[in-house]
Amino acid sequence: MKIYNTLSGKKEELQTLKPHRVNMYVCGPTTYNLIHLGNARPLVVFDTVRRYLKHRGYEVTYIQNFTDVDDKIIKRAWEEQTDPLELASHYIEEYFIDADALGIDRADIHPRVSQHIEDIIATITGLMEKGYAYEVDGNIYYRVRAFADYGKLSGRSVEEMFSGARVEVDERKEEPADFALWKKAKPNEPSWHSPWGEGRPGWHIECSVMATKYLGETIDIHGGGADLIFPHHENEIAQAEAYTGQPFVKYWMHNGFITVNSEKMSKSLGNFFVLRDILAKYPADVIRYYLIATHYRSPLDFDDSKLEEARKALGRLKTTLTLTREFVDDEPEITELTVAGKALLEKTHELEQKFNEAMDDDFNTAMAMGFLFELSRLLNSFMADQDRREPAARTAVKNAAEIFMELLSVLGIIIERDTNDEQYVNLLLKLLLDLRNLARQEKDYALSDAVRDRLNGLNVKVEDNPEGSRFRYEVSPAVDELLEYILAIRQESKAQRQYARADWIRDNLQENGIILEDTREGVRWKFADA
RNA sequence: GGGCGGGUGGCGAAGAGGCUAACGCUGUGGUCUGCAAAAUCACCAUUCACCGGUUCGAAUCCGGUCCCGCCCUCCA
């Protein structure tokens, strides 16, 4: 299995420190607002890396931090007249709402800076003792010149750094490139006691300290966005390696950026899309699909049409899943396979193999998905010309579909949604009332009464008054049951060749986001936006 | 200015020396179907920014040119 290592600029064979174990650390967000789509990319990418490593039999320890002490948090808290740590805590909760929706598995540990001040002070003290850091008036700086390997990750020389004009100029530092390990407290800032007085950690030290604390002096994989390569990850290396004397990270992985109209999505340009807003418009699995349909190191240009395309493409895979479930049904009959069934399974295993090979090559999700689509077509065409009444055919589909489903779940691109949304309940009830009124106009009192009785049976009261009808319920009826009833009415209409009524039902549902598809054996429904 | 990465069909996106340039979306035609949808089958790049070179053979390697993005400052 190969991983592109930013440190060497090449794909390298993965050799973990301990066999069958991977320790990975991923830089998490600074929690001072809701995350945007750009922030979501590394979440999904590294979650997928983690899932695949597990799929390949590795035991993965996954750490993702929260930066909850930071200039931006302090600034925001001051603007909102609240406590910085409370603000950070609040946005950590908000973060989990979004991350959970996207199906991001929780890290084994989510350490926060504010809970590791003692460890950070100990590390800074050690760095000072070894001559890698110095104090200036309550501030501690890292002496970049003392670390010979400085610049090895970002590919720039120390001299280049020193001559760089854009580095923050601070007369008190020995060199312009030196960076803060500890910042002296300013009035009204969160601060902690230290040997150098009141203060707080600099940005970079937290990751060196927390990564080594939980994963050891050398870790297997460290991930993050490409913009963290310099200075953040460069500085993490300088700190950790100077302190421990050991190589800090074996494999550095960095995801590419999301752009909008070919410009980087960023706060300063104002072209960012808050993930919460996108989640309101598109299902989480569509967003997840979109984010890994392109290789993780490539740039990704965003606009609404891309999500729409992702929705349709993923819909194809979901349709196959639906079709296989219909085809197999629940009977666990196992039978000898036919020649065609054997061929199906053989090809399925081939595609599974190819899927794994693609993922083994630096997590090529784009290529791996290509094989998923091929598997999808394979299954669909098998089902199209086989008879589902044949146990052998069902057995073959069942076995192949299990593999299909497993690969989908490695990528995390199927997230089952909760169908019992009140919005749909009300919409279906309204449709039933409309249908009932239509029946009454047509003097089909048998139907109109049947509808009312059925609704009463579901504990929904129907009230007729001069302005029309309305419904009331205390306990929400289930979407499934309502739909089942509506579809039964439609089947009855079709049987009586009342196509106008049947089509009225279908059109009405479609306008409200539920699509009906007639098949030889009945009807199936699905959400239009899924 | 320095450091990375990239330009592949109408669109998105794989491929990194040699099988018909994956896969998805869109489009066209056929099958199925009360109609619709879904599914299925077929078709849709002699060509991979441009110009040279290496090679029996180049999207793929080398040199040059033109564009584009990112980093060098907080940023995923």
Side-chain angles (χ1 to χ4, degrees):
Chain A
M1 174 164 185
K2 290 197 167 114
I3 294 185
Y4 180 88
N5 190 350
T6 307
L7 195 55
S8 63
K10 289 188 295 228
K11 286 182 193 171
E12 296 175 19
E13 194 60 37
L14 174 66
Q15 287 183 310
T16 57
L17 292 162
K18 293 179 187 164
H20 312 299
R21 288 194 52 86
V22 175
N23 283 335
M24 61 187 290
Y25 184 95
V26 177
C27 285
T30 300
T31 49
Y32 66 105
N33 53 19
L34 294 176
I35 61 170
H36 65 248
L37 186 66
N39 299 308
R41 188 173 190 191
L43 297 181
V44 171
V45 163
F46 293 109
D47 182 68
T48 307
V49 166
R50 179 193 194 183
R51 283 170 190 246
Y52 184 68
L53 289 169
K54 283 188 176 175
H55 173 70
R56 279 306 224 174
Y58 286 99
E59 198 176 310
V60 182
T61 304
Y62 191 96
I63 309 288
Q64 186 194 45
N65 69 300
F66 286 117
T67 299
D68 66 346
V69 178
D70 166 273
D71 290 347
K72 293 188 292 291
I73 295 172
I74 293 168
K75 181 166 178 275
R76 184 79 189 266
W78 189 83
E79 286 165 3
E80 295 186 5
Q81 298 287 302
T82 115
D83 176 67
L85 284 173
E86 269 175 37
L87 179 94
S89 239
H90 168 71
Y91 282 110
I92 287 172
E93 286 169 28
E94 297 289 343
Y95 163 86
F96 279 125
I97 291 173
D98 292 331
D100 290 349
L102 278 181
I104 309 295
D105 289 337
R106 297 277 176 122
D108 294 293
I109 303 172
H110 281 285
R112 305 181 189 188
V113 185
S114 63
Q115 295 164 351
H116 293 78
I117 303 296
E118 290 304 310
D119 301 300
I120 289 169
I121 289 172
T123 302
I124 295 175
T125 304
L127 285 170
M128 292 179 79
E129 282 165 2
K130 295 183 182 201
Y132 287 103
Y134 56 93
E135 180 185 352
V136 178
D137 184 29
N139 295 284
I140 311 296
Y141 294 102
Y142 186 95
R143 184 177 283 128
V144 167
R145 190 156 314 260
F147 185 69
D149 279 347
Y150 195 79
K152 67 179 174 183
L153 182 70
S154 54
R156 51 197 100 217
S157 71
V158 181
E159 294 314 318
E160 211 177 279
M161 289 310 308
F162 293 152
S163 60
R166 300 178 71 183
V167 183
E168 174 194 350
V169 178
D170 184 336
E171 294 305 321
R172 298 171 304 180
K173 295 195 287 190
E174 289 177 4
E175 302 269 7
D178 291 353
F179 57 90
L181 295 172
W182 187 264
K183 295 178 171 182
K184 183 181 179 175
K186 292 179 189 150
N188 299 320
E189 280 186 357
S191 64
W192 289 264
H193 298 295
S194 82
W196 323 286
E198 293 286 307
R200 61 188 167 94
W203 175 36
H204 315 294
I205 191 68
E206 60 181 86
C207 289
S208 303
V209 169
M210 298 190 292
T212 52
K213 173 169 181 166
Y214 294 107
L215 299 172
E217 293 186 343
T218 303
I219 67 181
D220 292 304
I221 296 174
H222 189 131
D227 57 343
L228 296 180
I229 294 171
F230 188 88
H232 187 56
H233 290 161
E234 194 69 73
N235 292 350
E236 277 187 51
I237 293 174
Q239 293 159 345
E241 298 194 351
Y243 183 68
T244 68
Q246 298 298 318
F248 178 42
V249 171
K250 290 197 74 173
Y251 306 93
W252 282 98
M253 292 180 67
H254 294 97
N255 64 272
F257 275 88
I258 295 184
T259 57
V260 178
N261 297 323
S262 299
E263 282 181 319
K264 179 179 166 182
M265 184 182 290
S266 76
K267 302 267 163 66
S268 53
L269 288 167
N271 61 350
F272 61 93
F273 290 78
V274 174
L275 182 59
R276 193 69 58 87
D277 295 341
I278 300 175
L279 278 166
K281 282 160 64 180
Y282 288 91
D285 46 18
V286 168
I287 298 170
R288 223 183 135 107
Y289 172 93
Y290 164 71
L291 290 173
I292 55 172
T294 300
H295 184 85
Y296 76 92
R297 285 190 281 116
S298 300
L300 194 49
D301 198 56
F302 175 78
D303 63 65
D304 272 346
S305 71
K306 303 291 171 55
L307 284 175
E308 194 52 33
E309 188 184 318
R311 197 180 63 71
K312 287 177 182 160
L314 180 58
R316 197 175 152 74
L317 299 177
K318 287 182 179 175
T319 296
T320 297
L321 216 50
T322 306
L323 291 173
T324 58
R325 283 173 185 162
E326 280 176 10
F327 195 93
V328 172
D329 71 31
D330 334 281
E331 307 160 48
E333 274 175 87
I334 309 294
T335 331
E336 187 82 9
L337 293 177
T338 58
V339 174
K342 280 181 187 157
L344 172 74
L345 275 182
E346 199 179 304
K347 283 186 195 146
T348 300
H349 283 120
E350 256 170 49
L351 288 167
E352 180 186 24
Q353 178 71 25
K354 287 182 174 175
F355 175 95
N356 285 331
E357 281 166 13
M359 290 297 283
D360 277 350
D361 185 11
D362 194 30
F363 308 98
N364 194 337
T365 48
M367 189 189 238
M369 277 180 181
F371 297 122
L372 248 31
F373 282 103
E374 287 186 32
L375 182 50
S376 178
R377 179 152 33 81
L378 184 69
L379 274 160
N380 290 345
S381 66
F382 182 86
M383 290 185 286
D385 53 46
Q386 294 285 319
D387 189 341
R388 67 173 292 275
R389 287 169 299 191
E390 289 297 330
R394 272 178 297 178
T395 303
V397 169
K398 184 173 185 286
N399 292 340
E402 272 167 14
I403 292 167
F404 181 61
M405 186 61 212
E406 188 191 336
L407 299 183
L408 288 171
S409 71
V410 168
L411 298 181
I413 49 178
I414 300 290
I415 298 174
E416 304 283 351
R417 71 192 260 179
D418 179 17
T419 55
N420 283 315
D421 192 321
E422 196 171 11
Q423 178 200 336
Y424 285 104
V425 171
N426 290 336
L427 182 158
L428 294 177
L429 286 173
K430 182 176 182 304
L431 185 144
L432 278 167
L433 288 194
D434 288 348
L435 186 62
R436 179 164 166 269
N437 282 333
L438 219 60
R440 294 205 308 185
Q441 280 163 28
E442 291 166 6
K443 307 217 184 293
D444 183 352
Y445 296 113
L447 177 61
S448 71
D449 290 349
V451 169
R452 188 182 54 205
D453 293 347
R454 182 58 176 260
L455 287 175
N456 286 341
L458 293 167
N459 290 316
V460 178
K461 288 179 192 153
V462 178
E463 296 169 359
D464 293 320
N465 57 44
E467 272 100 73
S469 306
R470 71 156 74 102
F471 55 83
R472 292 172 187 278
Y473 58 83
E474 280 171 15
V475 180
S476 171
V479 165
D480 290 7
E481 276 183 290
L482 292 173
L483 257 175
E484 201 180 302
Y485 181 50
I486 292 168
L487 297 188
I489 294 172
R490 181 164 173 273
Q491 280 312 99
E492 182 58 26
S493 305
K494 279 178 67 178
Q496 292 172 7
R497 307 209 171 241
Q498 293 177 319
Y499 291 122
R501 181 180 283 164
D503 291 349
W504 180 88
I505 292 173
R506 185 175 63 197
D507 294 346
N508 204 306
L509 284 172
Q510 179 146 4
E511 275 166 32
N512 288 297
I514 293 174
I515 292 175
L516 297 192
E517 291 169 4
D518 289 318
T519 70
R520 307 108 272 191
E521 295 166 32
V523 60
R524 86 175 136 252
W525 65 273
K526 65 181 183 188
F527 291 115
D529 61 1

